[in-house]
Amino acid sequence: MAHRLLAIFRRRRFAAVTILSLVLCLATLALWVRSYWRYDSLALVYGSRRFGAQSQFCELSFNTTRVRLNTQSRLWRSGWYYSTGGSDAQDTLRWEAERSPAPGVRQFAGFGYVTDTSPAASLFYIWFPHWFFALLFAALPATQLRSILRTRRRNRVGLCQHCGYDLRASPDRCPECGHAASTAASG
């Protein structure tokens, strides 16, 4: 009984993770489309540290900044900050200037990072194309969809759901793997 409850819990947890992955994929696609004309920025400030995430110009970027000055309390107040704005030609020029080859900038095929350390502050900035996260979050729902379609096809054709062996000659149990045939496959 406990084994059966654990199996049900695992299936539900896997289904919840799959749904969350699908929602994140759709959110990433929406941010990707929105990034053509708007930028979005979310930051968490805590003490002398700032953690940020931005969506702009078809990329998602994450950064962290740490201020080493004694005046950090006057620079930032702790809390969450959100900002948005339009992407115009001036923003595009600024963005391209930031991405130009400079010391500390490493980039390849839309991926990149920047590290900068000075006596006053340290910065780490990393960026990814939107398509990378869209594919990453779409992998689990696509695998689940493939599994559902395969099971439906095997039920319709009369194959074992476990190994795919033809069950027309032995409708009660699979002679290949020993798995009991379901009522849908045996009907």
Side-chain angles (χ1 to χ4, degrees):
M1 180 69 173
H3 183 338
R4 179 176 272 176
L5 290 175
L6 186 61
I8 291 171
F9 174 72
R10 285 182 181 159
R11 276 195 306 258
R12 287 188 179 170
R13 186 176 56 185
F14 185 72
V17 169
T18 302
I19 290 170
L20 177 64
S21 183
L22 180 62
V23 168
L24 288 173
C25 177
L26 294 174
T28 302
L29 291 173
L31 275 175
W32 187 0
V33 170
R34 181 179 164 88
S35 74
Y36 281 100
W37 69 89
R38 304 288 293 175
Y39 74 85
D40 295 293
S41 176
L42 180 66
L44 170 64
V45 175
Y46 183 74
S48 65
R49 290 195 167 271
R50 179 184 183 276
F51 304 95
Q54 290 86 27
S55 171
Q56 63 181 351
F57 304 113
C58 303
E59 71 183 25
L60 287 169
S61 57
F62 305 95
N63 63 60
T64 180
T65 306
R66 181 171 182 220
V67 178
R68 295 190 186 105
L69 297 174
N70 293 332
T71 59
Q72 71 239 20
S73 61
R74 286 184 262 149
L75 292 175
W76 298 326
R77 292 181 54 194
S78 293
W80 287 93
Y81 297 93
Y82 173 75
S83 64
T84 186
S87 298
D88 58 5
Q90 193 172 30
D91 286 337
T92 304
L93 291 175
R94 179 190 51 78
W95 178 77
E96 288 174 355
E98 288 176 359
R99 294 296 184 275
S100 64
V105 176
R106 303 287 184 257
Q107 58 184 352
F108 177 74
F111 299 86
Y113 71 94
V114 175
T115 57
D116 186 21
T117 305
S118 69
S122 63
L123 166 78
F124 179 74
Y125 189 91
I126 188 167
W127 62 91
F128 304 90
H130 279 96
W131 61 260
F132 174 73
F133 283 107
L135 282 178
L136 184 70
F137 292 134
L140 187 60
T143 304
Q144 187 69 11
L145 178 64
R146 179 181 174 264
S147 175
I148 290 169
L149 293 175
R150 182 184 64 219
T151 301
R152 289 181 68 186
R153 182 185 60 82
R154 285 182 177 174
N155 281 341
R156 189 175 55 246
V157 178
L159 303 175
C160 175
Q161 289 187 17
H162 189 257
C163 68
Y165 190 81
D166 189 357
L167 294 178
R168 289 180 288 182
S170 55
D172 296 333
R173 184 167 293 277
C174 178
E176 187 71 22
C177 68
H179 216 75
S182 68
T183 57
S186 62

